[in-house]
Amino acid sequence: MRPDVYPRTLENIKAVLLYYFPKKSHTEINKNAERIYDQRMFKLNELEYCCEIVTKNEDLIRKYYNGLNINIMLVVGREVLFDDESTWGGGDRRRKLEAIKAGLEL
């Protein structure tokens, strides 16, 4: 990944989420932005890339996860795009992540 062009601020995280999830409520955007900021889950460019990919593949992810929200999409996206497969655990979760990774439209 290339270095971030913009600083990783709460405002910039919210801007990325609002851009990729325009139909979500501001409450959901704010809650997820604060969680991402506090937990340092993503660099800003990683977040932007993850949002781009998960929104493009929302139907695929929805096949495997009910009650799809921003948090689930970003967790799945981070695991599939950035985490080593050895950290996925086993069983049903691993099978879901493998199927999603295999079907991703990048």
Side-chain angles (χ1 to χ4, degrees):
M1 276 271 130
R2 61 181 164 71
D4 290 334
V5 174
Y6 296 101
R8 188 190 171 281
T9 63
L10 183 57
E11 183 178 341
N12 285 341
I13 292 169
K14 285 180 186 179
V16 169
L17 295 179
L18 282 168
Y19 179 81
Y20 284 99
F21 302 100
K23 294 181 182 177
K24 299 293 185 179
S25 72
H26 284 273
T27 302
E28 186 176 358
I29 295 289
N30 290 338
K31 180 177 70 173
N32 282 283
E34 289 171 9
R35 183 180 49 77
I36 291 165
Y37 182 75
D38 289 342
Q39 295 178 1
R40 301 192 178 275
M41 298 172 61
F42 294 99
K43 294 178 182 176
L44 192 62
N45 63 338
E46 290 173 341
L47 175 63
E48 195 275 333
Y49 179 69
C50 184
C51 289
E52 176 187 356
I53 298 302
V54 298
T55 55
K56 194 184 301 185
N57 293 280
E58 186 172 346
D59 291 337
L60 172 66
I61 298 168
R62 193 175 299 283
K63 285 182 188 178
Y64 300 97
Y65 289 91
N66 296 326
L68 200 56
N69 59 35
I70 294 174
N71 182 52
I72 292 171
M73 291 178 70
L74 293 178
V75 168
V76 168
R78 186 189 72 229
E79 290 176 339
V80 169
L81 295 171
F82 303 116
D83 291 353
D84 188 77
E85 291 182 24
S86 66
T87 65
W88 292 357
D92 191 42
R93 180 173 176 74
R94 173 175 279 286
R95 283 189 290 282
K96 287 178 182 181
L97 294 173
E98 286 172 345
I100 291 168
K101 186 171 186 172
L104 276 184
E105 176 188 325
L106 301 176

